[in-house]
Amino acid sequence: MSLVFTNGCFDILHRGHLEMFRFCKTKADFLLVGIDSDTRVKKLKGQSRPINCENDRKLMLESIRWIDKVVIFNDEQQLSELIKNSQPDIMVVGSDYKNKNVIGSNFAKQLIFFERLNEYSTTKTIQYITNR
């Protein structure tokens, strides 16, 4: 069985996320998604985030037909261990990570960059709602 791994905050789901999950599932039999814990999201995105708590985000992701398993991680070390232990055939990350260090990519057989859909962004969604 082939395995693909991807990760992120997935705070407010939008079409860009869904397109990436669908893409991931075309690459392997099993899709494992890692999500940042609430503590980690606050560190990365600021004190006003996440909008949805980690358990709610996990439940939403588990409800998506292309995703087979969701795991919460707290820091870079746990993320790296998760990838090392799962030994994915493919790791998929957003194209904004090109030319950047991708944590755990050394444990994947192949790294693929998913071309982000520019009009979709959690930050843009939050700004839109705030400015209404």
Side-chain angles (χ1 to χ4, degrees), residues 6-65:
T6 194
N7 67 282
C9 299
F10 307 115
D11 191 5
I12 296 178
L13 292 177
H14 53 69
R15 184 177 182 150
H17 294 134
L18 297 175
E19 294 290 354
M20 185 182 71
F21 298 141
R22 181 168 44 186
F23 171 81
C24 287
K25 192 63 176 196
T26 68
K27 300 294 181 191
D29 303 311
F30 193 92
L31 173 53
L32 172 61
V33 176
I35 62 168
D36 298 279
S37 68
D38 290 347
T39 302
R40 182 162 163 83
V41 173
K42 282 189 186 316
K43 275 183 173 174
L44 296 171
K45 306 285 186 179
Q47 288 302 307
S48 63
R49 300 275 301 276
I51 302 298
N52 293 296
C53 73
E54 61 193 37
N55 290 325
D56 290 353
R57 291 183 286 127
K58 184 176 188 277
L59 178 63
M60 284 187 274
L61 292 175
E62 289 171 338
S63 301
I64 296 172
R65 66 180 176 176

Side-chain angles (χ1 to χ4, degrees), residues 56-125:
D56 290 353
R57 291 183 286 127
K58 184 176 188 277
L59 178 63
M60 284 187 274
L61 292 175
E62 289 171 338
S63 301
I64 296 172
R65 66 180 176 176
W66 301 297
I67 297 174
D68 297 293
K69 185 174 181 181
V70 180
V71 177
I72 299 169
F73 62 91
N74 290 307
D75 54 38
E76 289 184 7
Q77 179 66 31
Q78 282 187 354
L79 173 58
S80 186
E81 286 296 316
L82 173 60
I83 299 165
K84 180 181 178 182
N85 292 338
S86 62
Q87 292 288 304
D89 297 288
I90 299 169
M91 184 173 179
V92 176
V93 297
S95 57
D96 52 325
Y97 279 89
K98 285 182 181 174
N99 302 316
K100 293 182 183 176
N101 177 41
V102 178
I103 298 165
S105 61
N106 54 314
F107 300 117
K109 294 177 184 147
Q110 182 181 7
L111 177 63
I112 295 176
F113 294 96
F114 179 76
E115 234 13 85
R116 297 183 71 120
L117 306 178
N118 286 334
E119 65 270 23
Y120 296 102
S121 155
T122 298
T123 301
K124 285 181 184 177
T125 301

